[in-house]
Amino acid sequence: MSVMNMVRAAISESHQQIELTPFSKGMMDGSISRSEYANGLVQLWHIHDELESLVQQVVEVSNYFTSEMVRTNTITRDLRAFGCKVVTFQPMSETLAIVNQLRDWGKHKPFALLGCIYVLEGSRMGSLVIAKPLSKTLGIAPGETAGIEYHTEGAAQTPSRVRAFKEKVDGARLDAATVGELTEGAVTFMELLNKLYAALLAEDVKQIGNQRRTA
C-alpha cells in the first residue's frame, strides 16, 4: 500500500465523523446562517495562516507546498462578501489548539505538517460537492461565487492538483520515521478539526458572532 493510501485509511474514521457534525451538515441542508458560516471561515483563516507561514520556514515540506494551496487571501475575500473581517470573530479555543499544535510540529516534527497539507487539500475534493448546496444555504445567486470561493477557487484543477501532491509524496520514498510523522500529523489534525467543527455552532459562539456583527 502506498504512503498516501495508508494515511487515507488512518484518517478515514475521523473524515466520516466530521461530515456528521452540525456545521458540516448545515452547509449542505441550509441550517446555518451567514454569520455562523463566517465564523467558521475565520477559524479556518487562522489555521491556514499558521500553516502557510510555517511551510515557508520548514524546508523539509516547503517543496510540497504550491501557491495554489494558499487559502488565506481567498477566505478574506469570502468574509468581505459577508461584510466581515478576520477580526469580526474571536479565534476559538479549539482553533488555538490547532495553531499551537502546528507550531510544535514545525519545531519538532516538520513532516507532520505534510499530513496537514494532505488533509486540507483533500478537503477541496469535498468542496466540489459542497459548493452548490452551500451557495443556496447562504442565499448566493446562481453562478455567483463571492462568499464561497473557499470551495470554488481552482475547482477545475483540484483533482489533478491533489493527485499530483499524492504522487509527489509517494515518489519521495520517505523513510519509516518520516512516514510516521506524516501520518501522526494527518490523524491528529483531523481529530482536532473534528473538535473545532463540533464546537462551531455552540451557543456562545453564535452570541459572539451576533454581537460583533451588530456592533
Side-chain angles (χ1 to χ4, degrees):
M1 183 182 292
S2 71
V3 170
M4 286 285 86
N5 282 339
M6 286 191 294
V7 175
R8 180 182 179 182
I11 67 171
S12 176
E13 183 176 349
S14 288
H15 184 266
Q16 293 174 20
Q17 290 173 349
I18 204 168
E19 292 180 344
L20 297 176
T21 60
F23 185 80
S24 292
K25 289 165 42 173
M27 288 191 287
M28 301 292 287
D29 65 16
S31 61
I32 62 172
S33 68
R34 284 187 167 206
S35 179
E36 289 166 339
Y37 179 67
N39 175 55
L41 283 178
V42 168
Q43 308 312 316
L44 290 170
W45 184 93
H46 286 289
I47 294 166
H48 281 284
D49 183 57
E50 187 63 35
L51 182 61
E52 289 165 18
S53 175
L54 286 169
V55 295
Q56 300 304 318
Q57 305 169 35
V58 181
V59 295
E60 292 92 336
V61 298
S62 60
N63 190 44
Y64 296 90
F65 194 83
T66 66
S67 60
E68 293 81 10
M69 297 176 182
V70 174
R71 313 307 310 285
T72 46
N73 294 334
T74 308
I75 294 173
T76 300
R77 290 196 303 272
D78 280 347
L79 288 168
R80 191 179 304 127
F82 300 128
C84 299
K85 299 179 181 179
V86 171
V87 295
T88 302
F89 297 90
Q90 297 175 348
M92 296 164 57
S93 60
E94 292 83 2
T95 302
L96 296 176
I98 295 174
V99 169
N100 289 332
Q101 181 63 81
L102 292 174
R103 290 174 181 169
D104 184 70
W105 281 332
K107 293 177 181 178
H108 305 295
K109 295 183 177 181
F111 277 95
L113 300 177
L114 202 56
C116 302
I117 295 171
Y118 169 66
V119 168
L120 291 173
E121 281 298 294
S123 74
R124 296 177 76 171
M125 294 295 291
S127 288
L128 301 178
V129 177
I130 291 171
K132 186 175 181 178
L134 177 61
S135 178
K136 184 177 180 180
T137 291
L138 300 175
I140 296 171
E144 297 294 325
T145 60
I148 58 167
E149 286 189 58
Y150 184 73
H151 298 283
T152 61
E153 186 178 55
Q157 294 76 40
T158 290
S160 59
R161 186 182 58 253
V162 173
R163 181 170 60 250
F165 172 79
K166 293 192 292 185
E167 289 175 350
K168 188 169 187 175
V169 174
D170 283 333
R173 299 190 179 186
L174 304 175
D175 60 32
T178 302
V179 172
E181 280 188 20
L182 193 165
T183 305
E184 176 187 334
V187 170
T188 303
F189 188 60
M190 274 298 302
E191 291 172 349
L192 291 170
L193 281 176
N194 259 301
K195 291 179 180 178
L196 171 61
Y197 271 54
L200 276 174
L201 298 187
E203 188 62 29
D204 59 336
V205 172
K206 288 193 283 188
Q207 289 173 355
I208 290 171
N210 291 333
Q211 289 168 0
R212 288 174 174 263
R213 181 178 57 181
T214 57

